[in-house]
Amino acid sequence: MCRFMSDKALDNIRFPHSHLLGTEGLTPDVISLLLDRSESYVEQNRQADKKKSVLHGRTIINLFFEDSTRTRTSFELAGKRLGGDVLNMSVATSSVKKGETLIDTAMTLNAMHPDVLVVRHNDSGAVKLLSEKVNCAVINAGDGRHEHPTQALLDALTIRRRKGHLDGLLVAICGDIAHSRVARSNIHLLNTMGARVRLIAPKTLIPSAIDRLGVEVFHDMNEGLKDCDIVMMLRLQTERMHGGFFPSVREYFHFFGLDYEKLANAKPDALIMHPGPMNRGVEIASEVADDIGRSAIREQVEMGVAVRMACLELLTANLPTSGGAKP
Ligand code: NCD
């Protein structure tokens, strides 16, 4: 399926926000705009010549206070493929290590006139706070357990390309929901687009107020996976856990790890997804993760670059064309 917007059509459509901080509050039209635009980049990224000059003259700074493989590299590739200058700020070698605060770091970078700051931070809300202090566009690349909007967009693009639509689909998000910004961003986006979301996890890994988000909650994989179209697995985020959330990894896999036996409850053509990094044998069996007929995990990574190109393009289209970001 390839229905996307031409460059010309884009001239008349604007992304109605200065920043991309979350999927909460994005309308179906805005989500569709981002996904349609991403489609054109999927095609472009498969060509030998992947370069465009949409971001010519623009500066994008990747500011990651937490580890990342996929998100940081795909933002870097996205910026470069659109002809922008991309700088990766490594927190390990920056003045953050000398005690500089988040806001001081942001203000220092802001003084160098970047057009986009892509920020990942371990505190929920930190990226929004930063966006209120700088003059450029800010993209949330994951803040604590709050939101990770580009992950939800790339997941949606993957699903839409495989299933043709998002509305009416039954999506199971399984595992460590409590610590997952991926789960939150997906819940908002999928609900907005008319999909039905089920969460499957042990009681200790479901946040208390989650039912307010319009989801069904299950604590049994076999029950929760029944008739699902999409099975999205999440990593146990032990780095965010203080105390015992589950008895042992072995027991966790037994009850909540995705293997073929549990998967048999979902629809026969159910798609398997995982945002990565995967812990094989913990939340997912290796043979299921590598099942080329059913797993879309590699495709999710491919879609990540296209989605980030669309986000960078649409956000910078809102910036002034002379003088860079607002003074
Ligand atoms: C996720 C994240 O960082 O929130 N990974 C990612 O961006 N691909 C999920 C995770 O770390 O488990």
PDB file of all heavy atoms in Angstrom, residues 66-72 120 141-144 147-148 151 154 179-182 234-237 239-240 274-278 283 308, ligand 1:
ATOM      1  N   GLU A  66      19.827   9.480  28.217  1.00  0.00           N
ATOM      2  CA  GLU A  66      19.673   8.044  28.492  1.00  0.00           C
ATOM      3  C   GLU A  66      20.198   7.286  27.288  1.00  0.00           C
ATOM      4  O   GLU A  66      20.202   7.813  26.179  1.00  0.00           O
ATOM      5  CB  GLU A  66      18.182   7.692  28.601  1.00  0.00           C
ATOM      6  CG  GLU A  66      17.622   7.689  29.973  1.00  0.00           C
ATOM      7  CD  GLU A  66      16.199   7.101  29.992  1.00  0.00           C
ATOM      8  OE1 GLU A  66      15.708   6.590  28.967  1.00  0.00           O
ATOM      9  OE2 GLU A  66      15.597   7.177  31.049  1.00  0.00           O
ATOM     10  N   ASP A  67      20.562   6.028  27.504  1.00  0.00           N
ATOM     11  CA  ASP A  67      21.088   5.199  26.410  1.00  0.00           C
ATOM     12  C   ASP A  67      20.054   5.003  25.313  1.00  0.00           C
ATOM     13  O   ASP A  67      18.856   5.006  25.575  1.00  0.00           O
ATOM     14  CB  ASP A  67      21.491   3.814  26.938  1.00  0.00           C
ATOM     15  CG  ASP A  67      22.627   3.926  27.935  1.00  0.00           C
ATOM     16  OD1 ASP A  67      23.294   4.971  27.939  1.00  0.00           O
ATOM     17  OD2 ASP A  67      22.818   2.968  28.707  1.00  0.00           O
ATOM     18  N   SER A  68      20.546   4.835  24.116  1.00  0.00           N
ATOM     19  CA  SER A  68      19.649   4.577  22.988  1.00  0.00           C
ATOM     20  C   SER A  68      20.459   4.030  21.817  1.00  0.00           C
ATOM     21  O   SER A  68      21.593   4.448  21.605  1.00  0.00           O
ATOM     22  CB  SER A  68      18.983   5.885  22.562  1.00  0.00           C
ATOM     23  OG  SER A  68      18.290   5.710  21.365  1.00  0.00           O
ATOM     24  N   THR A  69      19.891   3.079  21.103  1.00  0.00           N
ATOM     25  CA  THR A  69      20.530   2.612  19.870  1.00  0.00           C
ATOM     26  C   THR A  69      19.667   3.065  18.707  1.00  0.00           C
ATOM     27  O   THR A  69      20.057   3.931  17.909  1.00  0.00           O
ATOM     28  CB  THR A  69      20.628   1.064  19.852  1.00  0.00           C
ATOM     29  OG1 THR A  69      21.284   0.651  21.029  1.00  0.00           O
ATOM     30  CG2 THR A  69      21.390   0.564  18.641  1.00  0.00           C
ATOM     31  N   ARG A  70      18.453   2.494  18.621  1.00  0.00           N
ATOM     32  CA  ARG A  70      17.564   2.746  17.499  1.00  0.00           C
ATOM     33  C   ARG A  70      17.148   4.208  17.370  1.00  0.00           C
ATOM     34  O   ARG A  70      17.236   4.803  16.295  1.00  0.00           O
ATOM     35  CB  ARG A  70      16.268   1.939  17.642  1.00  0.00           C
ATOM     36  CG  ARG A  70      16.357   0.529  17.194  1.00  0.00           C
ATOM     37  CD  ARG A  70      15.403  -0.330  18.022  1.00  0.00           C
ATOM     38  NE  ARG A  70      16.030  -0.586  19.301  1.00  0.00           N
ATOM     39  CZ  ARG A  70      16.720  -1.681  19.570  1.00  0.00           C
ATOM     40  NH1 ARG A  70      16.762  -2.630  18.682  1.00  0.00           N
ATOM     41  NH2 ARG A  70      17.325  -1.849  20.724  1.00  0.00           N
ATOM     42  N   THR A  71      16.684   4.782  18.469  1.00  0.00           N
ATOM     43  CA  THR A  71      16.088   6.117  18.377  1.00  0.00           C
ATOM     44  C   THR A  71      17.142   7.153  17.981  1.00  0.00           C
ATOM     45  O   THR A  71      16.929   7.957  17.078  1.00  0.00           O
ATOM     46  CB  THR A  71      15.413   6.494  19.715  1.00  0.00           C
ATOM     47  OG1 THR A  71      14.531   5.425  20.078  1.00  0.00           O
ATOM     48  CG2 THR A  71      14.621   7.770  19.602  1.00  0.00           C
ATOM     49  N   ARG A  72      18.299   7.103  18.635  1.00  0.00           N
ATOM     50  CA  ARG A  72      19.310   8.117  18.333  1.00  0.00           C
ATOM     51  C   ARG A  72      19.850   7.962  16.916  1.00  0.00           C
ATOM     52  O   ARG A  72      19.947   8.927  16.160  1.00  0.00           O
ATOM     53  CB  ARG A  72      20.449   8.076  19.353  1.00  0.00           C
ATOM     54  CG  ARG A  72      21.271   9.360  19.322  1.00  0.00           C
ATOM     55  CD  ARG A  72      22.599   9.238  20.048  1.00  0.00           C
ATOM     56  NE  ARG A  72      23.450   8.163  19.560  1.00  0.00           N
ATOM     57  CZ  ARG A  72      24.064   8.155  18.385  1.00  0.00           C
ATOM     58  NH1 ARG A  72      23.928   9.163  17.551  1.00  0.00           N
ATOM     59  NH2 ARG A  72      24.796   7.118  18.015  1.00  0.00           N
ATOM     60  N   ARG A 120      16.055  13.030  24.852  1.00  0.00           N
ATOM     61  CA  ARG A 120      15.646  11.880  25.684  1.00  0.00           C
ATOM     62  C   ARG A 120      16.144  12.133  27.105  1.00  0.00           C
ATOM     63  O   ARG A 120      17.304  12.511  27.293  1.00  0.00           O
ATOM     64  CB  ARG A 120      16.242  10.586  25.141  1.00  0.00           C
ATOM     65  CG  ARG A 120      16.062   9.410  26.093  1.00  0.00           C
ATOM     66  CD  ARG A 120      16.420   8.105  25.459  1.00  0.00           C
ATOM     67  NE  ARG A 120      15.374   7.660  24.545  1.00  0.00           N
ATOM     68  CZ  ARG A 120      15.307   6.429  24.044  1.00  0.00           C
ATOM     69  NH1 ARG A 120      16.208   5.539  24.352  1.00  0.00           N
ATOM     70  NH2 ARG A 120      14.329   6.106  23.213  1.00  0.00           N
ATOM     71  N   ALA A 141      12.144  12.316  22.514  1.00  0.00           N
ATOM     72  CA  ALA A 141      12.632  10.990  22.098  1.00  0.00           C
ATOM     73  C   ALA A 141      12.508  10.003  23.259  1.00  0.00           C
ATOM     74  O   ALA A 141      13.190   8.980  23.278  1.00  0.00           O
ATOM     75  CB  ALA A 141      14.075  11.108  21.632  1.00  0.00           C
ATOM     76  N   GLY A 142      11.623  10.320  24.218  1.00  0.00           N
ATOM     77  CA  GLY A 142      11.392   9.440  25.368  1.00  0.00           C
ATOM     78  C   GLY A 142      11.696  10.161  26.663  1.00  0.00           C
ATOM     79  O   GLY A 142      12.846  10.540  26.888  1.00  0.00           O
ATOM     80  N   ASP A 143      10.675  10.437  27.489  1.00  0.00           N
ATOM     81  CA  ASP A 143      10.912  11.063  28.798  1.00  0.00           C
ATOM     82  C   ASP A 143      10.385  10.141  29.899  1.00  0.00           C
ATOM     83  O   ASP A 143       9.179   9.935  30.051  1.00  0.00           O
ATOM     84  CB  ASP A 143      10.298  12.472  28.877  1.00  0.00           C
ATOM     85  CG  ASP A 143       8.775  12.499  28.764  1.00  0.00           C
ATOM     86  OD1 ASP A 143       8.202  11.681  27.996  1.00  0.00           O
ATOM     87  OD2 ASP A 143       8.135  13.327  29.441  1.00  0.00           O
ATOM     88  N   GLY A 144      11.323   9.584  30.644  1.00  0.00           N
ATOM     89  CA  GLY A 144      10.967   8.699  31.751  1.00  0.00           C
ATOM     90  C   GLY A 144       9.982   7.641  31.308  1.00  0.00           C
ATOM     91  O   GLY A 144      10.178   6.965  30.297  1.00  0.00           O
ATOM     92  N   GLU A 147       6.156   9.536  27.771  1.00  0.00           N
ATOM     93  CA  GLU A 147       5.773   9.413  26.350  1.00  0.00           C
ATOM     94  C   GLU A 147       6.993   9.167  25.454  1.00  0.00           C
ATOM     95  O   GLU A 147       8.130   9.547  25.792  1.00  0.00           O
ATOM     96  CB  GLU A 147       5.062  10.691  25.878  1.00  0.00           C
ATOM     97  CG  GLU A 147       3.591  10.763  26.296  1.00  0.00           C
ATOM     98  CD  GLU A 147       2.624  10.829  25.097  1.00  0.00           C
ATOM     99  OE1 GLU A 147       2.935  10.279  24.011  1.00  0.00           O
ATOM    100  OE2 GLU A 147       1.546  11.431  25.256  1.00  0.00           O
ATOM    101  N   HIS A 148       6.739   8.583  24.316  1.00  0.00           N
ATOM    102  CA  HIS A 148       7.771   8.332  23.300  1.00  0.00           C
ATOM    103  C   HIS A 148       7.021   8.380  21.958  1.00  0.00           C
ATOM    104  O   HIS A 148       6.772   7.353  21.330  1.00  0.00           O
ATOM    105  CB  HIS A 148       8.393   6.958  23.568  1.00  0.00           C
ATOM    106  CG  HIS A 148       9.606   6.641  22.759  1.00  0.00           C
ATOM    107  ND1 HIS A 148      10.097   7.457  21.760  1.00  0.00           N
ATOM    108  CD2 HIS A 148      10.450   5.569  22.805  1.00  0.00           C
ATOM    109  CE1 HIS A 148      11.175   6.902  21.228  1.00  0.00           C
ATOM    110  NE2 HIS A 148      11.400   5.752  21.849  1.00  0.00           N
ATOM    111  N   GLN A 151       8.026   6.581  18.606  1.00  0.00           N
ATOM    112  CA  GLN A 151       7.902   5.114  18.638  1.00  0.00           C
ATOM    113  C   GLN A 151       6.466   4.699  18.320  1.00  0.00           C
ATOM    114  O   GLN A 151       6.232   3.787  17.526  1.00  0.00           O
ATOM    115  CB  GLN A 151       8.320   4.575  20.009  1.00  0.00           C
ATOM    116  CG  GLN A 151       8.210   3.061  20.139  1.00  0.00           C
ATOM    117  CD  GLN A 151       9.210   2.300  19.285  1.00  0.00           C
ATOM    118  OE1 GLN A 151      10.379   2.647  19.252  1.00  0.00           O
ATOM    119  NE2 GLN A 151       8.768   1.264  18.585  1.00  0.00           N
ATOM    120  N   LEU A 154       5.849   5.161  14.613  1.00  0.00           N
ATOM    121  CA  LEU A 154       6.453   4.133  13.747  1.00  0.00           C
ATOM    122  C   LEU A 154       5.728   2.799  13.924  1.00  0.00           C
ATOM    123  O   LEU A 154       5.593   2.026  12.965  1.00  0.00           O
ATOM    124  CB  LEU A 154       7.969   4.035  13.999  1.00  0.00           C
ATOM    125  CG  LEU A 154       8.518   3.331  15.235  1.00  0.00           C
ATOM    126  CD1 LEU A 154       8.693   1.855  15.047  1.00  0.00           C
ATOM    127  CD2 LEU A 154       9.852   3.952  15.619  1.00  0.00           C
ATOM    128  N   HIS A 179       6.409   0.883  33.527  1.00  0.00           N
ATOM    129  CA  HIS A 179       7.585   1.721  33.295  1.00  0.00           C
ATOM    130  C   HIS A 179       7.713   2.140  31.841  1.00  0.00           C
ATOM    131  O   HIS A 179       8.752   2.642  31.428  1.00  0.00           O
ATOM    132  CB  HIS A 179       8.843   0.944  33.721  1.00  0.00           C
ATOM    133  CG  HIS A 179       8.815   0.541  35.156  1.00  0.00           C
ATOM    134  ND1 HIS A 179       8.483  -0.722  35.573  1.00  0.00           N
ATOM    135  CD2 HIS A 179       9.016   1.263  36.284  1.00  0.00           C
ATOM    136  CE1 HIS A 179       8.512  -0.780  36.898  1.00  0.00           C
ATOM    137  NE2 HIS A 179       8.824   0.414  37.356  1.00  0.00           N
ATOM    138  N   SER A 180       6.664   1.908  31.040  1.00  0.00           N
ATOM    139  CA  SER A 180       6.825   2.053  29.593  1.00  0.00           C
ATOM    140  C   SER A 180       6.193   3.310  28.995  1.00  0.00           C
ATOM    141  O   SER A 180       4.976   3.450  28.944  1.00  0.00           O
ATOM    142  CB  SER A 180       6.248   0.825  28.883  1.00  0.00           C
ATOM    143  OG  SER A 180       6.333   0.996  27.491  1.00  0.00           O
ATOM    144  N   ARG A 181       7.048   4.187  28.499  1.00  0.00           N
ATOM    145  CA  ARG A 181       6.564   5.356  27.741  1.00  0.00           C
ATOM    146  C   ARG A 181       6.030   4.905  26.378  1.00  0.00           C
ATOM    147  O   ARG A 181       5.177   5.551  25.794  1.00  0.00           O
ATOM    148  CB  ARG A 181       7.699   6.359  27.580  1.00  0.00           C
ATOM    149  CG  ARG A 181       8.986   5.741  27.031  1.00  0.00           C
ATOM    150  CD  ARG A 181      10.174   6.588  27.381  1.00  0.00           C
ATOM    151  NE  ARG A 181      11.436   6.033  26.934  1.00  0.00           N
ATOM    152  CZ  ARG A 181      12.608   6.331  27.484  1.00  0.00           C
ATOM    153  NH1 ARG A 181      12.683   7.156  28.486  1.00  0.00           N
ATOM    154  NH2 ARG A 181      13.722   5.814  27.008  1.00  0.00           N
ATOM    155  N   VAL A 182       6.561   3.791  25.871  1.00  0.00           N
ATOM    156  CA  VAL A 182       6.089   3.263  24.579  1.00  0.00           C
ATOM    157  C   VAL A 182       4.611   2.870  24.717  1.00  0.00           C
ATOM    158  O   VAL A 182       3.790   3.168  23.842  1.00  0.00           O
ATOM    159  CB  VAL A 182       6.938   2.042  24.138  1.00  0.00           C
ATOM    160  CG1 VAL A 182       6.364   1.405  22.885  1.00  0.00           C
ATOM    161  CG2 VAL A 182       8.388   2.445  23.931  1.00  0.00           C
ATOM    162  N   LEU A 234       6.758  -5.843  25.396  1.00  0.00           N
ATOM    163  CA  LEU A 234       7.607  -4.806  25.983  1.00  0.00           C
ATOM    164  C   LEU A 234       8.692  -5.428  26.848  1.00  0.00           C
ATOM    165  O   LEU A 234       8.470  -6.470  27.465  1.00  0.00           O
ATOM    166  CB  LEU A 234       6.773  -3.860  26.847  1.00  0.00           C
ATOM    167  CG  LEU A 234       5.669  -3.062  26.155  1.00  0.00           C
ATOM    168  CD1 LEU A 234       4.864  -2.297  27.200  1.00  0.00           C
ATOM    169  CD2 LEU A 234       6.250  -2.091  25.119  1.00  0.00           C
ATOM    170  N   ARG A 235       9.804  -4.731  26.905  1.00  0.00           N
ATOM    171  CA  ARG A 235      10.941  -5.162  27.736  1.00  0.00           C
ATOM    172  C   ARG A 235      10.663  -4.885  29.225  1.00  0.00           C
ATOM    173  O   ARG A 235      10.004  -3.895  29.550  1.00  0.00           O
ATOM    174  CB  ARG A 235      12.170  -4.351  27.297  1.00  0.00           C
ATOM    175  CG  ARG A 235      13.471  -4.650  27.969  1.00  0.00           C
ATOM    176  CD  ARG A 235      14.556  -3.800  27.337  1.00  0.00           C
ATOM    177  NE  ARG A 235      14.362  -2.385  27.618  1.00  0.00           N
ATOM    178  CZ  ARG A 235      14.879  -1.733  28.658  1.00  0.00           C
ATOM    179  NH1 ARG A 235      15.633  -2.391  29.519  1.00  0.00           N
ATOM    180  NH2 ARG A 235      14.667  -0.441  28.828  1.00  0.00           N
ATOM    181  N   LEU A 236      11.185  -5.760  30.067  1.00  0.00           N
ATOM    182  CA  LEU A 236      11.143  -5.481  31.516  1.00  0.00           C
ATOM    183  C   LEU A 236      12.183  -4.409  31.792  1.00  0.00           C
ATOM    184  O   LEU A 236      13.380  -4.644  31.612  1.00  0.00           O
ATOM    185  CB  LEU A 236      11.520  -6.737  32.299  1.00  0.00           C
ATOM    186  CG  LEU A 236      10.472  -7.815  32.512  1.00  0.00           C
ATOM    187  CD1 LEU A 236      11.098  -9.001  33.234  1.00  0.00           C
ATOM    188  CD2 LEU A 236       9.272  -7.292  33.285  1.00  0.00           C
ATOM    189  N   GLN A 237      11.747  -3.209  32.189  1.00  0.00           N
ATOM    190  CA  GLN A 237      12.697  -2.102  32.349  1.00  0.00           C
ATOM    191  C   GLN A 237      13.290  -2.108  33.758  1.00  0.00           C
ATOM    192  O   GLN A 237      12.958  -1.271  34.600  1.00  0.00           O
ATOM    193  CB  GLN A 237      11.996  -0.781  32.043  1.00  0.00           C
ATOM    194  CG  GLN A 237      11.372  -0.807  30.653  1.00  0.00           C
ATOM    195  CD  GLN A 237      11.280   0.554  29.995  1.00  0.00           C
ATOM    196  OE1 GLN A 237      11.741   1.561  30.506  1.00  0.00           O
ATOM    197  NE2 GLN A 237      10.676   0.583  28.829  1.00  0.00           N
ATOM    198  N   GLU A 239      15.981  -1.208  34.896  1.00  0.00           N
ATOM    199  CA  GLU A 239      16.708  -0.001  35.326  1.00  0.00           C
ATOM    200  C   GLU A 239      15.784   1.015  36.001  1.00  0.00           C
ATOM    201  O   GLU A 239      16.225   1.916  36.692  1.00  0.00           O
ATOM    202  CB  GLU A 239      17.458   0.634  34.145  1.00  0.00           C
ATOM    203  CG  GLU A 239      16.627   1.396  33.116  1.00  0.00           C
ATOM    204  CD  GLU A 239      15.994   0.509  32.039  1.00  0.00           C
ATOM    205  OE1 GLU A 239      15.888  -0.724  32.233  1.00  0.00           O
ATOM    206  OE2 GLU A 239      15.582   1.074  30.998  1.00  0.00           O
ATOM    207  N   ARG A 240      14.460   0.888  35.766  1.00  0.00           N
ATOM    208  CA  ARG A 240      13.514   1.800  36.416  1.00  0.00           C
ATOM    209  C   ARG A 240      12.822   1.147  37.627  1.00  0.00           C
ATOM    210  O   ARG A 240      11.926   1.722  38.212  1.00  0.00           O
ATOM    211  CB  ARG A 240      12.435   2.252  35.417  1.00  0.00           C
ATOM    212  CG  ARG A 240      12.960   3.065  34.256  1.00  0.00           C
ATOM    213  CD  ARG A 240      11.838   3.626  33.399  1.00  0.00           C
ATOM    214  NE  ARG A 240      12.235   3.750  32.016  1.00  0.00           N
ATOM    215  CZ  ARG A 240      13.035   4.701  31.543  1.00  0.00           C
ATOM    216  NH1 ARG A 240      13.478   5.634  32.322  1.00  0.00           N
ATOM    217  NH2 ARG A 240      13.375   4.718  30.259  1.00  0.00           N
ATOM    218  N   HIS A 274       7.767  -5.464  18.705  1.00  0.00           N
ATOM    219  CA  HIS A 274       8.567  -5.170  19.904  1.00  0.00           C
ATOM    220  C   HIS A 274       9.374  -3.910  19.584  1.00  0.00           C
ATOM    221  O   HIS A 274      10.020  -3.855  18.546  1.00  0.00           O
ATOM    222  CB  HIS A 274       9.492  -6.360  20.209  1.00  0.00           C
ATOM    223  CG  HIS A 274      10.122  -6.311  21.567  1.00  0.00           C
ATOM    224  ND1 HIS A 274      10.853  -5.220  22.027  1.00  0.00           N
ATOM    225  CD2 HIS A 274      10.151  -7.214  22.588  1.00  0.00           C
ATOM    226  CE1 HIS A 274      11.276  -5.462  23.260  1.00  0.00           C
ATOM    227  NE2 HIS A 274      10.861  -6.660  23.621  1.00  0.00           N
ATOM    228  N   PRO A 275       9.370  -2.912  20.498  1.00  0.00           N
ATOM    229  CA  PRO A 275      10.102  -1.679  20.171  1.00  0.00           C
ATOM    230  C   PRO A 275      11.619  -1.835  20.244  1.00  0.00           C
ATOM    231  O   PRO A 275      12.351  -0.981  19.723  1.00  0.00           O
ATOM    232  CB  PRO A 275       9.625  -0.689  21.244  1.00  0.00           C
ATOM    233  CG  PRO A 275       9.200  -1.536  22.400  1.00  0.00           C
ATOM    234  CD  PRO A 275       8.677  -2.813  21.797  1.00  0.00           C
ATOM    235  N   GLY A 276      12.099  -2.933  20.888  1.00  0.00           N
ATOM    236  CA  GLY A 276      13.522  -3.098  21.124  1.00  0.00           C
ATOM    237  C   GLY A 276      13.960  -2.146  22.237  1.00  0.00           C
ATOM    238  O   GLY A 276      13.270  -1.168  22.495  1.00  0.00           O
ATOM    239  N   PRO A 277      15.061  -2.429  22.889  1.00  0.00           N
ATOM    240  CA  PRO A 277      15.857  -3.649  22.783  1.00  0.00           C
ATOM    241  C   PRO A 277      15.121  -4.846  23.397  1.00  0.00           C
ATOM    242  O   PRO A 277      14.404  -4.692  24.368  1.00  0.00           O
ATOM    243  CB  PRO A 277      17.117  -3.300  23.598  1.00  0.00           C
ATOM    244  CG  PRO A 277      16.708  -2.197  24.529  1.00  0.00           C
ATOM    245  CD  PRO A 277      15.583  -1.474  23.885  1.00  0.00           C
ATOM    246  N   MET A 278      15.321  -6.009  22.755  1.00  0.00           N
ATOM    247  CA  MET A 278      14.597  -7.220  23.176  1.00  0.00           C
ATOM    248  C   MET A 278      15.421  -7.999  24.176  1.00  0.00           C
ATOM    249  O   MET A 278      16.639  -8.092  24.015  1.00  0.00           O
ATOM    250  CB  MET A 278      14.467  -8.145  21.951  1.00  0.00           C
ATOM    251  CG  MET A 278      13.160  -8.110  21.285  1.00  0.00           C
ATOM    252  SD  MET A 278      13.089  -9.418  20.044  1.00  0.00           S
ATOM    253  CE  MET A 278      14.335  -9.037  18.866  1.00  0.00           C
ATOM    254  N   GLU A 283      10.892 -11.699  27.751  1.00  0.00           N
ATOM    255  CA  GLU A 283       9.521 -11.347  27.370  1.00  0.00           C
ATOM    256  C   GLU A 283       9.105 -11.989  26.043  1.00  0.00           C
ATOM    257  O   GLU A 283       7.936 -11.976  25.685  1.00  0.00           O
ATOM    258  CB  GLU A 283       9.317  -9.825  27.315  1.00  0.00           C
ATOM    259  CG  GLU A 283      10.009  -9.096  26.181  1.00  0.00           C
ATOM    260  CD  GLU A 283      11.405  -8.612  26.543  1.00  0.00           C
ATOM    261  OE1 GLU A 283      11.853  -8.897  27.668  1.00  0.00           O
ATOM    262  OE2 GLU A 283      12.054  -7.980  25.698  1.00  0.00           O
ATOM    263  N   ARG A 308      10.715   9.545  11.528  1.00  0.00           N
ATOM    264  CA  ARG A 308      11.514  10.666  12.083  1.00  0.00           C
ATOM    265  C   ARG A 308      11.817  11.691  11.005  1.00  0.00           C
ATOM    266  O   ARG A 308      11.898  12.895  11.288  1.00  0.00           O
ATOM    267  CB  ARG A 308      12.755  10.114  12.767  1.00  0.00           C
ATOM    268  CG  ARG A 308      12.315   9.506  14.109  1.00  0.00           C
ATOM    269  CD  ARG A 308      13.170   8.521  14.747  1.00  0.00           C
ATOM    270  NE  ARG A 308      12.472   8.016  15.945  1.00  0.00           N
ATOM    271  CZ  ARG A 308      12.483   6.761  16.343  1.00  0.00           C
ATOM    272  NH1 ARG A 308      13.125   5.835  15.652  1.00  0.00           N
ATOM    273  NH2 ARG A 308      11.820   6.407  17.431  1.00  0.00           N
TER     274      ARG A 308
HETATM  275  C1  NCD B   1      12.103   1.934  24.178  1.00  0.00           C
HETATM  276  C2  NCD B   1      12.430   3.140  25.045  1.00  0.00           C
HETATM  277  O1  NCD B   1      13.568   3.592  25.108  1.00  0.00           O
HETATM  278  O2  NCD B   1      11.489   3.620  25.633  1.00  0.00           O
HETATM  279  N1  NCD B   1      13.067   1.654  23.208  1.00  0.00           N
HETATM  280  C3  NCD B   1      13.113   2.370  22.045  1.00  0.00           C
HETATM  281  O3  NCD B   1      13.034   3.572  21.999  1.00  0.00           O
HETATM  282  N2  NCD B   1      13.215   1.644  20.912  1.00  0.00           N
HETATM  283  C4  NCD B   1      11.727   0.755  24.973  1.00  0.00           C
HETATM  284  C5  NCD B   1      12.739   0.160  25.917  1.00  0.00           C
HETATM  285  O4  NCD B   1      13.761   0.735  26.263  1.00  0.00           O
HETATM  286  O5  NCD B   1      12.462  -0.971  26.369  1.00  0.00           O
END
